[in-house]
Amino acid sequence: MLPSIFTSTIATKLMTLILSSLLIHRIKLLSLVLFFTTATQVACKLSNETDRLALFSFKELIDEDPLSSLSFWNSSLDLCKWDGVTCSHKHRRVVILDLRGKSLRGTMSPFLGNLTFLRSLYLQENKFQGKIPLELNRLFRLRRLNFSFNSLQEEIPTNLSNSLSVIDLWSNDLVGKIPASFGSLSKLAYLDLFSNNLIGGIPPSLGNLSLLQRIDLGENRLTGTIPHSIGRLSNLKVFAVGGNKLSGTVPPTLYNISTLMQLLVINNQLTGSLPQDIGLRLTNLILFSIAQNQFWGPIPASLFNASRMKYLVLSNNNFSGAVPFDLGRKMKDLIYLNLGENNLGSGDASDLSFIDSLTNCSKLQTFGFYANGFGGVLPTSIANLSSHLKFLGAGWNQLVGTIPVGISNFVNLDTLGLQGNLFSGVIPFEIGKLRNLELVSFSTNKLSGPIPESIGNLTRIFGLDLEGNNLNGTIPSSIENILGLQTLDLAHNFLTEYGIGERTSTEGDVYSYGILLLEMVTGKRPIDELFTIRQSLHEFCKVALPERVMEIVDSRMLLEEPTEAKNDAQKERVRRDKIRECSISLVRIGISCSVESPRERMNIKDVIIGLMKIKEVFLGVGIHGRRQMRMRLIGEGTSQE
């Protein structure tokens, strides 16, 4: 028994010793884990504190925060929960700062350079001023930088992070040259410097950026030529340098980049001809805008192969010859086509045969072929163009025949320019169906007959030019329905003035406008029985000035409900005085326009200025709030160019 008991005791002690040893080891291990965990937390907290202080410094330089976007940036709230801040899960460091569109005003803090874990910095659509901090070069993890739509000044830093894939500085006030060092940003895929004040040339080093997909350097003051090295960018999708002072030719290698979707060189001093196989090389083109340059030669027949084309802008160049007859055959998504101000056409009857192919373009909204040498008649197929058409500019050619009745199909048309041709016949009565028209010019043709009464249906028109035709008859009274009419030119026709019965002239147009204005104010017509030979509408209004004007004003003009003036006698009195003042001014203009002697009539420019001043008084807006007439008869001012 003794040996057995002895053996058992020894075994028990050994087991106890082993367990004790294991327990001590585990305790030590747990202590080490606790130590390292605590150390890591302390390190994260210290690093996190660096980010917090950097953001506080950023906030201190914000002068205006109208949306209170930074109101919760304080010590009582974890910075990873601050508005616009995103932290990493592991280190709790700031990796994204996104304050786009917050209307913040101020300067950018150099302490942004302490956010060393930052990958994305989005401060676009604010009101930042001053310079881009040089300290951003410390952000070696930064991939996306977007400061677009601010008011940043001075030069672009030359030492931005090599990790950047996106640089977007669109619409600022940056000056100086495009840094040649950008050519070393090997990861750069997106570079947008549109609309700044940059000078100098396009750095050839940009051709080293094999990942680059978008270059937009438009609307600056760049000079020199387009570097041949750009042709090496095999992944390029967008190349935009419009609105500069570039000269020379487009490098031939640029036309070999099959990935190109947008090529914009509009408004430069570039020259040369287009490759005849351009449509076979650049089959992915969606936007091709080379307007306002000095390109010459024929329009390549191969362009029809660019079946994805949406915007084709070739205007204001020296292109000549015939337009390819099947130009639009494959361009089913075409929205914008402008061939204006070239030397296209030969005055031949077949010049416009290419319009047949455009009937396939069911999305077409803008079509301009003005100021060329096109002859013949407008083909009947023009009536089959897209019902979405908004702009049709065919002025200053050699077109003959009549205005097609089929144009009444274009119910969305807002601009129609057929001026400076040889059109004959009458203005189609069906034009009254185009109720969205805002600007119409049929001037300098050979149109005859009366102005159709249906013209009064075009209530949105602010510019109507029928000058220099053979129109006759009385100016239709329905024109009084066009309340927003700002320019009316009926001179050099055989029309009789509405309300007086004499042939029109420039002064006669002013007379007619004055009569229409008095009609609208009084609600009376010059042919009403009220007016005898001794007293015309003009005299009726003249004798009422100024004390009795409110007695002759049409009561329908005074239907405006008082605002809170009901409960405020002083405001109601001010409102009534304003109405009276505006009414007197309107009658004065109407009378000045309709005096019997043409030489004594008010100048049309003074009429418009006077009406704008009345509008200022009545609506309480400045002169800059008025609607400006756009020069859309020649296709200017489009958003896509």
Side-chain angles (χ1 to χ4, degrees), residues 22 85 150 212 233 289 335 410 412 447 461 545 616:
L22 289 171
V85 174
N150 280 285
L212 204 56
L233 301 176
S289 180
I335 294 173
F410 306 141
N412 291 301
L447 298 171
I461 279 187
L545 274 176
E616 289 178 36

Side-chain angles (χ1 to χ4, degrees), residues 126-192:
N126 284 290
K127 301 175 183 178
F128 285 106
Q129 298 174 323
K131 65 180 182 179
I132 298 173
L134 297 176
E135 291 76 6
L136 295 184
N137 70 329
R138 300 177 193 163
L139 305 179
F140 61 93
R141 293 182 175 90
L142 191 64
R143 298 176 188 170
R144 290 170 288 275
L145 173 69
N146 194 332
F147 292 164
S148 59
F149 296 98
N150 280 285
S151 299
L152 296 170
Q153 297 129 0
E154 299 192 28
E155 297 187 359
I156 301 172
T158 59
N159 58 346
L160 293 176
S161 172
N162 288 331
S163 60
L164 280 166
S165 63
V166 174
I167 298 177
D168 191 345
L169 303 176
W170 181 354
S171 190
N172 279 280
D173 298 315
L174 298 167
V175 298
K177 298 181 178 181
I178 300 171
S181 59
F182 276 6
S184 63
L185 304 180
S186 59
K187 297 180 181 179
L188 196 63
Y190 185 110
L191 177 61
D192 198 331

Side-chain angles (χ1 to χ4, degrees), residues 377-389:
V377 300
L378 283 177
T380 55
S381 59
I382 199 168
N384 298 323
L385 292 179
S386 168
S387 60
H388 299 289
L389 199 65

Side-chain angles (χ1 to χ4, degrees), residues 364-376:
L364 191 63
Q365 296 182 18
T366 295
F367 179 30
F369 55 98
Y370 49 86
N372 279 284
F374 293 119

Side-chain angles (χ1 to χ4, degrees), residues 46 99 107 180 184 196 227 247 272 293 394 408-409 469 479 507 537 580 606 619 622:
L46 290 173
L99 295 171
T107 56
S184 63
N196 280 281
S247 56
N293 281 286
S408 61
N409 295 339
N469 281 283
I479 286 182
E507 293 80 8
L537 175 61
R580 183 176 184 275
D606 294 332
L619 298 179

